[in-house]
Amino acid sequence: MTRLLPGIGLLISVLAIGGCATYHPLPLATQADLGDSITQVRHTVPAGAGRPGVSIDVSRALSIDQIGVLAMLNDPALRAERGQSELARAGVIQSALLPNPSVGLGYAALLGGPGTTDALSASLSQDIASLVTYHNRVASARAHAAQVNAQLLWQEWQVAQKARLLALDLYWGAQAITASQARLGELEQLGRRLRQAVDQGSLSLAALGPVQASLASQARSLQALHLTQMANWRALDALLGLRPTVRFDIARPHPPAVPADLDALAASVAQRRPDLIALRLGYRSADQDVRAAILGQFPAFVLGGSWNSDTSDVRSGGPTVTLDLPIFNRNQGQIAKASASRRVLHAQYQSRLDDTQASILALRARSQYLAARLGPARAAAAAAGAQAEAARGAYAQHNLDQRTLDDYERAALQQRLALFDLQRGLGEARIALTLELGLGLPPARIASLDSKR
């Protein structure tokens, strides 16, 4: 037996070392990973369960939905989701592992006295109490991993939503800038003609003042539009992993129609919205934690066996049992903590569901209002444009003064800008409604796990 003890210890050490993980370095990047062109972004949606792979043609004008998908594929902030997913899966692995059995070996050399041999001891024990909560711990970890996956999908949807709204703002912002630049060009030409007339003495200086004021006001408005456009481009390029100076063509947006079965979709939104699904999975995980905490009242119980021989060569062996007495700690703290966490998630889910339903109703009302205003706004813009054209003809025939003409042209521009704002607002309301209903975006996560382009 004395010769076997070192061999047993060596065997245990070899087995333990053989199952250990090894270290691999993961150096940090030394420079930013930003693209110089829209053609450098990831533009292929990988195939998924029941979903074929799709490649987006980035060489053509992109729709706002395509831009949303590209943001899901390329947003640098979403690259961290790989670590979050792996962390959740690691939790499942950890929860499914049983505690290792404990082995005890002892050797005492005979140094003197009436004994005849060295003393030896060996024991083997296993924690049994952990088996009682095993099923609930694993179920809780699996529900948590699914919750993390649903939360990450909701993050992708949020990124896509932000990209779609930015693309919508950029398109209509470009239309507003084009119309404002045309108006500014007309005022500049008029200002030059009037200044020339003033210099020649055929026109008084008082006639130039209103035009100069209009010119300054229009220049300020155009500058504000340019600054807003630059900020929106910077935000969209950041979502796509591009340098802030990258520009690409955005196709004319077409707001999605309000679903005919909106009430039915609103009633079943909890089955589609990733954030609501994540809260339900979180509640399921918390419920399993409560069950595990209640079962954790079972006292610590270790079952094993031992073998001993003393210095007089008397050998003995038998089972061993270690049992805690649940006098002071009956797992009350863990039960209270798990129960409170479950109540919090219960309230959060109800609050989110109520807020979702309220948002759907509000967005439907907003969409209906803006859609009803769109026809009159188009008619008003067309009428104002026709009046401005007629005023220009009258002015050319010297039947209208310059200030009146300026009023007509300014009114026509304001009506066009109001129409652009109305179309943008309708698009924002419809896009937000589809997101609240859990529609219009991929039902499975598509963000690439690879940080390379």
Side-chain angles (χ1 to χ4, degrees):
M1 185 66 185
T2 304
R3 296 178 179 178
L4 289 177
L5 287 176
I8 294 174
L10 178 62
L11 177 61
I12 293 174
S13 300
V14 170
L15 291 176
I17 295 174
C20 291
T22 56
Y23 170 79
H24 298 284
L26 184 62
L28 295 174
T30 58
Q31 57 185 1
D33 184 24
L34 298 176
D36 297 317
S37 169
I38 188 64
T39 59
Q40 296 181 2
V41 303
R42 303 180 194 89
H43 57 274
T44 300
V45 180
R51 185 190 71 232
V54 178
S55 181
I56 298 174
D57 186 1
V58 295
S59 63
R60 305 177 63 180
L62 298 171
S63 69
I64 58 176
D65 288 336
Q66 289 176 326
I67 292 172
V69 173
L70 290 177
M72 295 173 72
L73 290 170
N74 295 277
D75 181 30
L78 290 177
R79 298 179 191 176
E81 71 176 53
R82 178 176 185 176
Q84 298 180 40
S85 297
E86 289 181 349
L87 186 61
R89 289 195 295 266
V92 176
I93 296 173
Q94 181 63 35
S95 67
L97 297 177
L98 294 174
N100 292 322
S102 299
V103 176
L105 301 174
Y107 170 75
L110 178 61
L111 301 179
T116 60
T117 183
D118 297 338
L120 303 173
S121 65
S123 65
L124 177 66
S125 61
Q126 176 65 50
D127 181 13
I128 303 300
S130 61
L131 299 178
V132 177
T133 60
Y134 177 81
H135 171 75
N136 300 103
R137 287 187 287 109
V138 173
S140 175
R142 287 175 177 170
H144 176 69
Q147 176 193 9
V148 170
N149 191 65
Q151 287 174 338
L152 293 174
L153 175 58
W154 181 243
Q155 290 179 17
E156 289 186 350
W157 281 27
Q158 294 288 81
V159 167
Q161 178 75 345
K162 184 177 179 181
R164 293 196 297 179
L165 292 177
L166 284 170
L168 185 72
D169 289 345
L170 284 169
Y171 178 85
W172 291 115
Q175 299 300 309
I177 287 175
T178 299
S180 297
Q181 283 178 334
R183 171 63 178 155
L184 182 64
E186 293 172 354
L187 288 172
E188 289 175 343
Q189 290 180 2
L190 177 61
R192 285 193 294 269
R193 291 199 302 268
L194 292 179
R195 192 177 298 108
Q196 184 178 6
V198 170
D199 294 340
Q200 293 174 354
S202 60
L203 191 67
S204 67
L205 188 61
L208 185 60
V211 176
Q212 294 284 36
S214 297
L215 184 61
S217 176
Q218 186 62 36
R220 286 195 302 270
S221 299
L222 184 59
Q223 182 181 17
L225 289 173
H226 275 296
L227 291 174
T228 301
Q229 197 79 343
M230 290 175 62
N232 288 338
W233 269 117
R234 183 169 61 250
L236 182 58
D237 284 335
L239 290 178
L240 297 174
L242 297 171
R243 297 186 183 277
T245 55
V246 175
R247 302 290 183 266
F248 50 87
D249 293 333
I250 300 175
R252 181 183 178 88
H254 299 283
V258 176
D261 55 344
L262 188 143
D263 292 332
L265 291 172
S268 60
V269 68
Q271 310 300 323
R272 294 185 306 276
R273 278 269 297 266
D275 59 328
L276 293 172
I277 294 174
L279 286 172
R280 289 167 56 196
L281 290 168
Y283 178 81
R284 183 185 302 175
S285 175
D287 188 64
Q288 291 295 336
D289 289 339
V290 172
R291 295 173 182 269
I294 293 173
L295 292 174
Q297 296 176 102
F298 187 84
F301 182 70
V302 180
L303 180 63
S306 64
W307 181 91
N308 300 277
S309 68
D310 59 15
T311 55
S312 61
D313 203 22
V314 174
R315 292 177 290 275
S316 62
T320 60
V321 175
T322 303
L323 182 68
D324 280 358
L325 297 178
I327 298 176
F328 305 110
N329 183 2
R330 297 184 300 277
N331 215 35
Q332 307 98 312
Q334 290 298 325
I335 293 174
K337 182 178 178 180
S339 299
S341 298
R342 185 178 63 170
R343 285 194 297 270
V344 169
L345 287 169
H346 187 279
Q348 287 179 346
Y349 176 77
Q350 187 63 53
S351 175
R352 183 70 62 84
L353 186 59
D354 293 345
D355 182 69
T356 298
Q357 295 292 343
S359 297
I360 289 173
L361 295 176
L363 286 169
R364 176 170 64 178
R366 178 179 175 82
S367 176
Q368 291 173 345
Y369 172 79
L370 293 175
R373 296 285 301 166
L374 192 57
R378 286 197 178 100
Q387 291 171 356
E389 184 65 27
R392 283 190 287 270
Y395 178 78
Q397 297 175 3
H398 305 289
N399 295 326
L400 196 68
D401 61 273
Q402 175 57 47
R403 177 169 294 183
T404 304
L405 173 62
D406 183 65
D407 290 340
Y408 275 109
E409 291 183 335
R410 184 169 59 252
L413 175 62
Q414 294 302 320
Q415 289 289 357
R416 288 190 66 189
L417 295 180
L419 177 60
F420 294 155
D421 287 340
L422 188 61
Q423 290 173 306
R424 171 168 34 200
L426 179 61
E428 291 174 349
R430 295 279 180 84
I431 292 173
L433 181 60
T434 58
L435 183 71
E436 292 292 331
L437 291 171
L439 303 173
L441 289 170
R445 290 173 52 212
I446 63 173
S448 174
L449 298 182
D450 187 3
S451 62
K452 300 297 183 183
R453 295 185 183 279

